[in-house]
Amino acid sequence: MEESGITCAAIISSTQKIERETAKFYEHLAERYTDDKADFLSFSKESKKNEVLITRTYQETISDALEACFIEGLNLNNIVLARTLSRDVDFATALRMAIRLEDEATKFYSEIAERTRSLLATIPMVFKKVAKNRKNRKLKLESILRSLN
Amino acid sequence: MILEEPIMDVLTLKNYIGDEWVESKGEVVDVVNPATCKTIATVPISTNEEIKAAVEAANEAFPDWRRTPPLARVRCLFRLKELMEQHFEEVSRIQTMEHGKTIDESRGETRRGIENVEVATGIPSLMMGYNLEDIASGIDEYVVRQPLGVFGIIGPFNFPFMVPLWFAPYAVATGNCVIVKPSSEDPISQIKIAELAEEAGIPPGVWNVVNGGRTVVSGMLDHNDIKGICFVGSTPVGRDVIYKRCGETTKRVIAQTGAKNFLLIMPDAKLERTIAACMTSFYGNSGQRCLSAANLVVVGEGQSERQFNTFYEKVVDKFVGAASKIRVGYGLDESVQMGPLRDRRKKERVIGFVEKGVQEGAKLRLDGRNVKIIGDWPHDCFLNPTVFEEVTPDMTIGSEEIFGPVASVMRAKDLDEAIEMIHSNPFGNAASIFTSNGKWAREFQYRVECGNIGVNIGIAAPMAFFPFSGMKDSFYGSLHGQGREVVRFFTESKVVIQRWF
């Protein structure tokens, strides 16, 4: 059967998973690299808040009259989740992994914001906000990486 | 991924009368999940004595409840709203299990229901009367709105959670008491709401639920202590039973009934967005809603015959293309875009219409009877989207309410002809136009005799603070559900003229 669009429910589940995995990823970083523990824990906390924010926005705006089952142009198979850190990864490599994760997450959320523009304003707004959070994290991570050199 | 089902064991549903969960003496029927065909609950078909007991309990609660300050009354509703938010996911999944709709649709229904509770919490302002000093020398006049007593609310199967909430929160907030009779096909949502109402501290007898069928409805209609009835269901029952009997027994009545909604696509419509809106409108809730579009009218206003033919083909190809890709399956699978019909009988009824369409000469462009679904579920209640072309407004499929995932495509040479088509149909629930032309849109909303008009909107569903309208054979009564109108419905205006010597 040829595929058509995806549902809001599927998008929300994916974003919940992304934020949960990301929160865990930064908790691991915080445990392993204690010099920057505060930053990593704040990223983890922010991801948990992002999950709550997205879920709440969805539940408060979903309506039977919205075209919620027919969001076109998104492929949820392409989302990249945070990976578990192997034991031998050095700090710089871990930071580069985190930067790539944030970069991909920023693109993903920006894309969802664009695709959901036709729904209520609060929906793209929350995805733009999360995209901005993730972009800021990337900048912070890049600055930590620069400080290593 | 299939979401976890909140109902694991077969529930035994009871009536909620006064502050008691009461077993019924009536026969018991199964509530079946239409996607899995598994029984998820048993529901009683209550007796006449049981509806009488509920009226008695409600009547007994009324004097104290009406004396309770409006602010105190709505505090109960604030708590109810909060509890509904806490149970948002659970009640949404219950709707999918008992009705079949997709999880996005169920969550949307939950939200719409909660919005009515939210609006009803504004009763201290919404219920206010008005006054004028010195209407004559030293004489002032004012009007107060007073509650009436006990109201009956008869819910339909297609929105088991939301529809009774178009009425109940407003009735209760204005100081009345209610008896809700859910559809016996999917009554679990209303039982869950009653549990939350009990937990929210709504006093005994103010919010009652009596399960059942005709006996309960007749019991409500015949009872002198029931002051009004809110009904959502079919036109024959709404008109010939509810409206008629309420007239005979001098009850107030809101009877929101059947529909056959037209959706017009003008040559300047933004097609991509229009087709997405059409999919939701025609196939959302598997076509089982009174605001669903049923007839798609492609309009050739201002076009030559050749241009019109090209435009028509383009619209229909895109529509059929999109409809053929809709993923059908169990609504708790988040990838699914359309669930099953509510039960086998409803599926058979829709198939009957499809057969009739073929017999009457319509062109079957997409045959939803060839069931293809996601997941290994029994096909008993599933249908895929169907599209007919070359339908005329006088054909059975073009004129009667199918209440299923069937689209009938028609052609109209201009807007006038399209509006005539709409007016040739006895229903007047909703109609939509898709266009970029303000003049056409204005002409449409001005002339069309339907209660709910969509301009570039596929489902013209009024928000909780607006009335859910309806005209012609789609509505019987004067005031509509939701918002300010329903506050008027649940209150009597008492005028006081006073002077002090």
Side-chain angles (χ1 to χ4, degrees):
Chain A
M1 196 186 299
E2 203 180 337
E3 295 283 297
S4 90
I6 50 175
T7 65
C8 274
I11 295 174
I12 298 303
S13 280
S14 297
T15 56
Q16 287 167 336
K17 194 172 176 192
I18 289 170
E19 294 304 321
R20 251 175 251 154
E21 298 286 317
T22 304
K24 269 194 240 162
F25 175 74
Y26 283 115
E27 276 166 17
H28 288 155
L29 284 186
E31 278 168 22
R32 198 176 293 188
Y33 308 109
T34 48
D35 285 357
D36 294 285
K37 185 178 178 181
D39 282 330
F40 295 141
L41 285 180
S42 80
F43 293 166
S44 174
K45 196 175 164 189
E46 191 182 63
S47 271
K48 287 173 187 165
K49 277 167 72 178
N50 285 347
E51 187 190 340
V52 171
L53 190 66
I54 291 168
T55 306
R56 191 171 61 209
T57 303
Y58 165 65
Q59 288 190 345
E60 288 185 355
T61 49
I62 182 78
S63 160
D64 66 301
L66 285 183
E67 286 95 40
C69 288
F70 301 93
I71 311 293
E72 296 291 338
L74 268 178
N75 187 351
L76 295 179
N77 296 324
N78 292 343
I79 59 167
V80 177
L81 297 170
R83 275 166 285 175
T84 317
L85 289 172
S86 59
R87 288 180 183 210
D88 54 347
V89 164
D90 62 35
F91 188 40
T93 308
L95 282 174
R96 281 190 203 97
M97 277 172 73
I99 289 166
R100 200 167 66 240
L101 171 72
E102 296 306 335
D103 194 39
E104 282 164 356
T106 305
K107 283 179 193 154
F108 178 67
Y109 283 117
S110 304
E111 181 70 12
I112 302 179
E114 181 60 27
R115 297 289 169 187
T116 55
R117 263 196 323 170
S118 62
L119 304 179
L120 299 182
T122 47
I123 299 172
M125 209 156 67
V126 73
F127 288 123
K128 275 187 205 161
K129 182 179 160 55
V130 176
K132 195 177 162 191
N133 288 349
R134 305 293 296 250
K135 192 177 175 183
N136 289 341
R137 273 191 220 172
K138 184 188 163 197
L139 296 175
K140 179 71 186 169
L141 290 162
E142 283 172 340
S143 107
I144 298 171
L145 184 63
R146 272 197 303 274
S147 71
L148 295 180
N149 301 323
Chain B
M1 184 184 78
I2 305 287
L3 297 170
E4 193 181 325
E5 294 181 332
I7 301 170
M8 308 301 281
D9 302 315
V10 178
L11 306 172
T12 304
L13 304 182
K14 295 178 181 174
N15 293 331
Y16 182 56
I17 298 175
D19 59 350
E20 304 273 338
W21 288 94
V22 193
E23 272 188 38
S24 167
K25 291 192 173 70
E27 63 164 314
V28 166
V29 296
D30 288 345
V31 179
V32 177
N33 179 333
T36 62
C37 290
K38 286 184 184 154
T39 298
I40 53 174
T42 58
V43 62
I45 303 300
S46 304
T47 62
N48 196 34
E49 286 67 37
E50 286 158 352
I51 181 66
K52 278 182 183 165
V55 178
E56 201 175 309
N59 223 11
E60 206 178 303
F62 175 61
D64 283 346
W65 184 240
R66 77 159 282 197
R67 273 190 217 102
T68 305
L71 207 54
R73 292 199 298 255
V74 300
R75 281 191 191 114
C76 293
L77 291 183
F78 277 116
R79 289 194 292 271
L80 176 62
K81 175 234 170 359
E82 210 41 56
L83 286 164
M84 286 174 163
E85 297 287 1
Q86 285 169 26
H87 292 263
F88 187 95
E89 191 57 24
E90 181 195 356
V91 297
S92 299
R93 291 183 192 186
I94 286 173
Q95 287 161 57
T96 294
M97 288 186 76
E98 68 175 341
H99 174 275
K101 60 185 69 185
T102 68
I103 189 62
D104 268 327
E105 289 166 344
S106 293
R107 290 169 181 156
E109 180 176 347
T110 304
R111 178 52 52 201
R112 289 260 181 184
I114 293 174
E115 282 167 358
N116 278 280
V117 180
E118 288 171 332
V119 173
T121 60
I123 277 300
S125 299
L126 291 170
M127 200 181 168
M128 276 181 186
Y130 47 94
N131 57 37
L132 190 66
E133 283 184 337
D134 293 322
I135 54 146
S137 179
I139 302 178
D140 305 328
E141 183 168 344
Y142 57 93
V143 62
V144 288
R145 296 205 172 122
Q146 298 188 326
L148 292 135
V150 183
F151 282 83
I153 297 168
I154 301 165
F157 81 88
N158 61 337
F159 284 92
F161 182 89
M162 172 185 74
V163 167
L165 295 174
W166 289 351
F167 312 107
Y170 304 94
V172 165
T174 47
N176 298 286
C177 300
V178 296
I179 301 165
V180 178
K181 189 210 82 68
S183 165
S184 55
E185 294 172 32
D186 43 17
I188 308 169
S189 295
Q190 288 307 311
I191 295 299
K192 190 73 206 169
I193 290 174
E195 286 172 9
L196 299 180
E198 184 185 22
E199 195 179 337
I202 293 178
V206 172
W207 192 304
N208 307 275
V209 178
V210 178
N211 294 289
R214 285 178 191 172
T215 304
V216 174
V217 172
S218 298
M220 283 182 176
L221 289 169
D222 293 341
H223 206 297
N224 285 335
D225 288 335
I226 290 208
K227 302 299 177 193
I229 297 284
C230 303
F231 167 86
V232 176
S234 74
T235 294
V237 176
R239 179 188 55 210
D240 303 334
V241 180
I242 306 291
Y243 186 64
K244 189 176 168 208
R245 190 73 186 126
C246 283
E248 289 165 356
T249 57
T250 66
K251 288 177 177 42
R252 294 187 172 199
V253 60
I254 293 174
Q256 298 183 209
T257 52
K260 187 74 180 176
N261 304 318
F262 288 70
L263 187 152
L264 275 52
I265 301 185
M266 303 300 286
D268 61 349
K270 306 276 185 206
L271 263 194
E272 194 183 324
R273 302 266 308 261
T274 300
I275 297 300
C278 282
M279 292 305 105
T280 299
S281 184
F282 282 87
Y283 302 116
N285 222 33
S286 308
Q288 299 169 115
R289 66 177 157 201
C290 63
L291 291 175
S292 286
N295 291 339
L296 175 74
V297 186
V298 185
V299 186
E301 177 83 44
Q303 293 189 307
S304 66
E305 199 176 330
R306 202 171 132 205
Q307 285 171 325
F308 185 26
N309 286 337
T310 307
F311 172 59
Y312 173 86
E313 293 301 333
K314 191 175 169 187
V315 170
V316 176
D317 286 349
K318 279 184 180 293
F319 187 96
V320 172
S324 65
K325 291 177 203 157
I326 288 177
R327 290 188 298 275
V328 181
Y330 186 12
L332 286 183
D333 178 339
E334 289 184 320
S335 71
V336 160
Q337 295 169 305
M338 191 177 99
L341 277 295
R342 216 329 286 164
D343 57 41
R344 295 183 188 98
R345 201 167 41 89
K346 289 181 176 60
K347 174 179 168 175
E348 290 308 315
R349 185 175 175 275
V350 173
I351 289 173
F353 274 106
V354 175
E355 285 165 356
K356 191 83 177 164
V358 173
Q359 281 165 22
E360 290 183 356
K363 181 177 159 192
L364 186 54
R365 180 75 187 267
L366 182 65
D367 190 349
R369 293 174 298 178
N370 303 322
V371 175
K372 291 186 197 110
I373 61 171
I374 293 175
D376 190 21
W377 309 109
H379 285 198
D380 298 44
C381 304
F382 285 103
L383 280 174
N384 286 71
T386 290
V387 183
F388 274 108
E389 277 188 273
E390 296 171 17
V391 181
T392 55
D394 58 329
M395 285 181 183
T396 306
I397 57 167
S399 59
E400 292 185 17
E401 184 173 40
I402 299 174
F403 227 54
V406 179
S408 297
V409 185
M410 302 175 178
R411 293 167 66 116
K413 66 178 187 305
D414 55 26
L415 185 57
D416 285 339
E417 189 184 340
I419 293 175
E420 273 173 35
M421 283 178 172
I422 297 172
H423 289 165
S424 71
N425 192 279
F427 294 109
N429 208 41
S432 295
I433 185 170
F434 282 77
T435 180
S436 301
N437 184 316
K439 184 174 183 296
W440 290 342
R442 201 263 175 190
E443 189 73 6
F444 183 81
Q445 66 96 21
Y446 187 81
R447 285 169 57 191
V448 169
E449 290 175 32
C450 287
N452 305 290
I453 298 291
V455 176
N456 297 315
I457 298 289
I459 297 287
M463 298 295 286
F465 29 88
F466 287 102
F468 195 107
S469 192
M471 294 179 179
K472 296 163 70 181
D473 277 358
S474 296
F475 178 76
Y476 294 90
S478 305
L479 295 163
H480 300 86
Q482 298 195 144
R484 284 182 227 164
E485 284 202 23
V486 89
V487 174
R488 291 289 310 277
F489 178 80
F490 288 122
T491 55
E492 184 62 277
S493 299
K494 181 181 278 182
V495 175
V496 180
I497 303 171
Q498 69 176 8
R499 144 172 91 173
W500 296 94
F501 296 114

